[in-house]
Amino acid sequence: MADSNRIRLRGQLVENYDGLIRKLTRRLGSADFAHEALHETFLRLDRVTDAEPVRSPADYIFRTAINIAKDRQKAQNYRVSSSEIDALLDICDDEPDPARVVEARSEIEAFKRALAELPPRPREVLRSISIEGQPAHEVAARLKVSIRTVESDLKLALGHCADSLEHTLRRRLGGPRPRS
């Protein structure tokens, strides 16, 4: 009599199936939900052991079905609806698309070629001022030229790069802005 609990519980479920469905339907508010819970209960009866005898098979089956229904309801509450999925898919992606990445890489390569075409001093002036952010007077002192020459080399370099990249060079009135 190794499976006595299982046999008793299954027998009880089969004998009282209609009554259990009515009772579960009243408790859960849905006949379909009651059927699903009771069918899942039948499957779970395979896990019952004979370690402890079940005193009230009908109550055990009903309590198991209620617990299964509660678990399913919790799982359903955690599920994401299709409208929520659509909303998540509409979230803007900050990453550039592959075409923009390729375009940016191509523009960087074109800028590198334009820099390579410049004479050494205008290239150094552009790199020092525009890329490294050094003030014009420091660049002039380092290169041992006047500030006016640095400004002229910067203008030449920027114009050449703008032309090479087919960009419009925006000119500001009053010369370069002083750096803080």
Side-chain angles (χ1 to χ4, degrees), residues 117-164:
E117 294 169 354
L118 285 170
R121 193 178 66 213
R123 184 179 340 135
E124 179 60 24
V125 168
L126 179 65
R127 185 187 60 75
S128 298
I129 293 176
S130 297
I131 297 173
E132 294 177 5
Q134 295 177 358
H137 68 277
E138 285 181 16
V139 176
R142 185 169 44 87
L143 296 176
K144 297 180 173 98
V145 294
S146 68
I147 292 177
R148 182 101 172 124
T149 302
V150 167
E151 289 172 351
S152 176
D153 285 347
L154 180 61
K155 183 178 175 182
L156 171 82
L158 288 173
H160 175 73
C161 289
D163 290 343
S164 295

Side-chain angles (χ1 to χ4, degrees), residues 3-130:
D3 294 332
S4 63
N5 274 339
R6 242 178 277 166
I7 293 169
R8 282 181 49 222
L9 289 169
R10 281 187 177 166
Q12 182 70 33
L13 193 145
V14 170
E15 284 177 28
N16 296 327
Y17 185 83
D18 292 333
L20 283 167
I21 288 293
R22 281 193 302 275
K23 195 173 175 183
L24 284 169
T25 301
R26 277 193 308 271
R27 182 74 179 265
L28 301 174
S30 165
D32 290 337
F33 205 40
H35 281 283
E36 287 178 23
L38 202 53
H39 289 174
E40 179 75 23
T41 301
F42 181 79
L43 295 174
R44 287 212 187 157
L45 291 180
D46 280 340
R47 299 183 201 162
V48 175
T49 65
D50 283 334
E52 252 332 282
V54 176
R55 292 189 199 134
S56 176
D59 291 340
Y60 181 89
I61 292 168
F62 183 73
R63 177 61 19 216
T64 301
I66 291 294
N67 288 339
I68 288 169
K70 285 180 181 179
D71 290 345
R72 282 184 171 217
Q73 211 155 22
K74 282 180 190 174
Q76 207 165 18
N77 289 341
Y78 288 123
R79 288 194 183 121
V80 180
S81 70
S82 61
S83 63
E84 291 171 322
I85 290 172
D86 289 341
L88 288 172
L89 291 175
D90 285 340
I91 291 176
C92 187
D93 185 11
D94 292 338
E95 294 293 316
D97 63 344
R100 292 213 19 133
V101 170
V102 169
E103 183 181 329
R105 286 184 181 154
S106 174
E107 195 159 316
I108 288 170
E109 289 303 315
F111 179 68
K112 286 179 181 178
R113 284 191 302 276
L115 279 177
E117 294 169 354
L118 285 170
R121 193 178 66 213
R123 184 179 340 135
E124 179 60 24
V125 168
L126 179 65
R127 185 187 60 75
S128 298
I129 293 176
S130 297

